[in-house]
Protein backbone atom coordinates (compact mmCIF):
# COMPACT_ATOMS: atom_id res chain seq x y z
CA UNK A 1 0.00 0.00 0.00
CA UNK A 2 2.89 2.36 0.74
CA UNK A 3 4.21 1.87 -2.79
CA UNK A 4 0.78 2.54 -4.29
CA UNK A 5 0.38 5.68 -2.15
CA UNK A 6 3.84 6.91 -3.19
CA UNK A 7 3.07 6.38 -6.86
CA UNK A 8 -0.32 8.10 -6.61
CA UNK A 9 1.38 11.01 -4.82
CA UNK A 10 3.71 11.18 -7.81
CA UNK A 11 0.70 11.58 -10.12
CA UNK A 12 -0.59 14.45 -7.95
CA UNK A 13 2.82 16.13 -7.94
CA UNK A 14 3.01 15.83 -11.72
CA UNK A 15 -0.42 17.46 -11.96
CA UNK A 16 0.74 20.32 -9.69
CA UNK A 17 3.71 20.90 -12.00
CA UNK A 18 1.44 20.87 -15.04
CA UNK A 19 -0.92 23.33 -13.36
CA UNK A 20 1.98 25.66 -12.57
CA UNK A 21 2.38 26.00 -16.34
CA UNK A 22 -1.16 27.34 -16.68
CA UNK A 23 -0.92 30.97 -15.82
CA UNK A 24 -3.20 33.77 -14.92
CA UNK A 25 -1.66 36.59 -16.98
CA UNK A 26 2.06 36.95 -16.20
CA UNK A 27 5.02 35.37 -17.96
CA UNK A 28 6.81 32.63 -16.06
CA UNK A 29 9.29 29.92 -17.10
CA UNK A 30 6.89 27.41 -15.52
CA UNK A 31 4.46 28.10 -18.38
CA UNK A 32 6.67 26.09 -20.72
CA UNK A 33 7.35 23.16 -18.34
CA UNK A 34 4.78 20.85 -19.94
CA UNK A 35 6.24 21.42 -23.43
CA UNK A 36 7.97 18.37 -24.89
CA UNK A 37 10.16 18.66 -27.98
CA UNK A 38 10.70 16.02 -30.66
CA UNK A 39 14.50 15.81 -30.62
CA UNK A 40 17.25 13.22 -30.90
CA UNK A 41 14.86 10.41 -31.78
CA UNK A 42 12.39 10.96 -28.92
CA UNK A 43 10.42 13.48 -26.94
CA UNK A 44 12.37 15.46 -24.36
CA UNK A 45 11.38 18.29 -22.00
CA UNK A 46 12.02 21.77 -23.40
CA UNK A 47 14.46 22.49 -20.57
CA UNK A 48 16.79 19.78 -21.92
CA UNK A 49 17.28 21.53 -25.27
CA UNK A 50 17.00 25.23 -24.37
CA UNK A 51 17.20 27.80 -21.62
CA UNK A 52 14.14 29.85 -20.70
CA UNK A 53 14.17 33.47 -19.51
CA UNK A 54 11.56 36.12 -18.71
CA UNK A 55 12.94 39.53 -19.78
CA UNK A 56 9.56 41.28 -19.49
CA UNK A 57 6.27 40.70 -17.69
CA UNK A 58 4.55 39.59 -20.90
CA UNK A 59 7.43 37.94 -22.81
CA UNK A 60 9.34 34.67 -22.50
CA UNK A 61 12.52 34.03 -24.46
CA UNK A 62 13.76 30.55 -25.26
CA UNK A 63 17.41 30.20 -26.23
CA UNK A 64 17.80 26.91 -28.15
CA UNK A 65 21.23 25.34 -27.70
CA UNK A 66 21.24 23.42 -30.99
CA UNK A 67 20.28 25.56 -34.01
CA UNK A 68 18.88 22.47 -35.79
CA UNK A 69 16.19 22.14 -33.09
CA UNK A 70 14.93 25.75 -33.25
CA UNK A 71 12.06 24.85 -35.60
CA UNK A 72 11.10 21.80 -33.53
CA UNK A 73 11.07 23.88 -30.33
CA UNK A 74 8.92 26.58 -31.95
CA UNK A 75 6.50 23.93 -33.25
CA UNK A 76 6.37 22.18 -29.84
CA UNK A 77 5.47 25.43 -28.06
CA UNK A 78 2.77 26.21 -30.61
CA UNK A 79 1.33 22.66 -30.49
CA UNK A 80 1.43 22.31 -26.68
CA UNK A 81 -2.14 23.54 -26.37
CA UNK A 82 -1.16 26.54 -24.27
CA UNK A 83 -2.42 29.09 -26.79
CA UNK A 84 1.02 30.63 -27.26
CA UNK A 85 2.34 31.84 -30.61
CA UNK A 86 6.16 31.78 -30.64
CA UNK A 87 8.27 33.79 -33.10
CA UNK A 88 11.70 32.43 -33.99
CA UNK A 89 14.77 34.57 -34.62
CA UNK A 90 17.62 32.15 -35.24
CA UNK A 91 18.32 30.27 -32.02
CA UNK A 92 16.19 32.66 -29.96
CA UNK A 93 12.46 32.17 -29.80
CA UNK A 94 10.28 34.93 -28.39
CA UNK A 95 6.99 33.90 -26.85
CA UNK A 96 4.64 36.84 -26.23
CA UNK A 97 2.07 36.22 -23.50
CA UNK A 98 -1.35 37.29 -24.75
CA UNK A 99 -3.82 39.18 -22.61
CA UNK A 100 -6.28 36.78 -21.02
CA UNK A 101 -9.58 37.00 -22.84
CA UNK A 102 -12.66 34.95 -22.06
CA UNK A 103 -11.79 32.62 -24.95
CA UNK A 104 -8.22 32.25 -23.64
CA UNK A 105 -9.49 31.50 -20.13
CA UNK A 106 -11.71 28.77 -21.56
CA UNK A 107 -8.73 27.29 -23.44
CA UNK A 108 -6.69 27.23 -20.23
CA UNK A 109 -9.58 25.59 -18.34
CA UNK A 110 -9.74 22.88 -21.04
CA UNK A 111 -5.97 22.35 -20.75
CA UNK A 112 -6.35 21.99 -16.96
CA UNK A 113 -9.08 19.39 -17.49
CA UNK A 114 -6.81 17.46 -19.91
CA UNK A 115 -3.97 17.46 -17.38
CA UNK A 116 -6.37 16.28 -14.66
CA UNK A 117 -7.63 13.44 -16.86
CA UNK A 118 -4.03 12.36 -17.45
CA UNK A 119 -3.43 12.29 -13.69
CA UNK A 120 -6.59 10.21 -13.19
CA UNK A 121 -5.38 7.74 -15.82
CA UNK A 122 -2.05 7.49 -13.97
CA UNK A 123 -3.83 6.85 -10.64
CA UNK A 124 -6.03 4.19 -12.24
CA UNK A 125 -2.91 2.57 -13.71
CA UNK A 126 -1.41 2.38 -10.22
CA UNK A 127 -4.68 0.82 -9.00
CA UNK A 128 -4.52 -1.77 -11.80
CA UNK A 129 -0.92 -2.62 -10.88
CA UNK A 130 -1.92 -3.08 -7.23
CA UNK A 131 -4.84 -5.32 -8.17
CA UNK A 132 -2.66 -7.39 -10.49
CA UNK A 133 -0.02 -7.80 -7.80
CA UNK A 134 -2.58 -8.99 -5.24
CA UNK A 135 -4.05 -11.47 -7.76
CA UNK A 136 -0.52 -12.75 -8.39
CA UNK A 137 -0.14 -13.43 -4.67
CA UNK A 138 -3.44 -15.30 -4.71
CA UNK A 139 -2.34 -17.49 -7.64
CA UNK A 140 0.83 -18.39 -5.76
CA UNK A 141 -1.31 -19.33 -2.76
CA UNK A 142 0.30 -16.70 -0.53
CA UNK A 143 -2.98 -15.00 0.39
CA UNK A 144 -6.62 -16.08 0.59
CA UNK A 145 -9.61 -14.83 -1.40
CA UNK A 146 -10.82 -12.97 1.69
CA UNK A 147 -7.49 -11.14 1.82
CA UNK A 148 -7.83 -10.35 -1.90
CA UNK A 149 -11.25 -8.81 -1.24
CA UNK A 150 -9.83 -6.74 1.65
CA UNK A 151 -6.90 -5.57 -0.48
CA UNK A 152 -9.14 -4.77 -3.44
CA UNK A 153 -11.45 -2.69 -1.26
CA UNK A 154 -8.50 -0.82 0.29
CA UNK A 155 -6.92 -0.15 -3.11
CA UNK A 156 -10.24 1.09 -4.53
CA UNK A 157 -10.77 3.35 -1.50
CA UNK A 158 -7.27 4.80 -1.94
CA UNK A 159 -7.93 5.33 -5.66
CA UNK A 160 -11.21 7.10 -4.94
CA UNK A 161 -9.44 9.42 -2.47
CA UNK A 162 -6.83 10.40 -5.05
CA UNK A 163 -9.41 10.91 -7.81
CA UNK A 164 -11.30 13.23 -5.45
CA UNK A 165 -8.07 15.14 -4.72
CA UNK A 166 -7.53 15.55 -8.47
CA UNK A 167 -11.11 16.74 -8.96
CA UNK A 168 -10.64 19.27 -6.13
CA UNK A 169 -7.37 20.51 -7.65
CA UNK A 170 -8.89 20.99 -11.11
CA UNK A 171 -11.91 22.75 -9.63
CA UNK A 172 -9.62 25.15 -7.73
CA UNK A 173 -7.49 25.79 -10.83
CA UNK A 174 -10.62 26.39 -12.90
CA UNK A 175 -11.78 29.05 -10.41
CA UNK A 176 -8.32 30.68 -10.52
CA UNK A 177 -8.26 30.72 -14.32
CA UNK A 178 -11.79 32.07 -14.74
CA UNK A 179 -11.31 34.79 -12.12
CA UNK A 180 -11.19 38.18 -13.84
Amino acid sequence: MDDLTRRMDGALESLRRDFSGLRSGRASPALLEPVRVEAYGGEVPLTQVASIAVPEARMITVQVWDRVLAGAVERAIRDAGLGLNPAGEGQTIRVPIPQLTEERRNELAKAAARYAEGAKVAVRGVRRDGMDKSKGFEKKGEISQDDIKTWSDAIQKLTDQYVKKIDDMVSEKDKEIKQV
Side-chain angles (χ1 to χ4, degrees):
M1 286 300 279
D2 290 340
D3 181 51
L4 298 179
T5 302
R6 180 187 56 77
R7 290 173 59 195
M8 288 183 186
D9 281 337
L12 281 181
E13 187 56 38
S14 176
L15 181 61
R16 278 189 197 95
R17 275 193 310 274
D18 288 344
F19 278 177
S20 73
L22 297 177
R23 89 288 190 274
S24 54
R26 289 186 55 93
S28 164
L31 287 173
L32 299 179
E33 276 185 16
V35 176
R36 306 211 24 105
V37 179
E38 188 71 37
Y40 308 119
E43 280 195 351
V44 297
L46 177 62
T47 55
Q48 289 185 5
V49 295
S51 57
I52 303 168
V54 181
E56 302 172 23
R58 301 191 95 41
M59 178 71 69
I60 298 174
T61 58
V62 179
Q63 185 66 41
V64 182
W65 299 324
D66 186 352
R67 180 180 298 268
V68 175
L69 295 177
V73 169
E74 192 174 338
R75 197 169 28 261
I77 293 169
R78 188 173 297 113
D79 296 343
L82 300 173
L84 301 174
N85 192 15
E89 300 171 3
Q91 285 180 256
T92 302
I93 298 171
R94 298 189 189 289
V95 185
I97 305 301
Q99 190 75 349
L100 284 182
T101 62
E102 186 64 29
E103 180 182 327
R104 180 76 181 115
R105 290 176 197 279
N106 289 335
E107 286 178 22
L108 291 173
K110 287 178 186 176
R114 275 195 315 270
Y115 291 149
E117 192 55 41
K120 287 179 185 179
V121 168
V123 165
R124 291 180 192 125
V126 172
R127 176 189 63 190
R128 184 187 62 243
D129 291 347
M131 297 286 197
D132 290 348
K133 190 176 279 190
S134 63
K135 288 177 185 173
F137 288 142
E138 180 190 24
K139 285 182 181 177
K140 293 178 185 174
E142 295 177 12
I143 58 176
S144 68
Q145 283 191 337
D146 289 341
D147 290 338
I148 287 290
K149 177 69 174 145
T150 303
W151 273 97
S152 295
D153 290 346
I155 291 170
Q156 185 59 49
K157 184 177 178 183
L158 183 67
T159 302
D160 293 342
Q161 289 172 352
Y162 276 87
V163 167
K164 180 167 179 6
K165 287 180 184 180
I166 291 169
D167 287 338
D168 292 345
M169 286 173 66
V170 77
S171 173
E172 191 65 33
K173 190 64 177 182
D174 194 56
K175 285 180 198 171
E176 177 188 322
I177 290 170
K178 297 218 172 152
Q179 180 180 1
V180 178

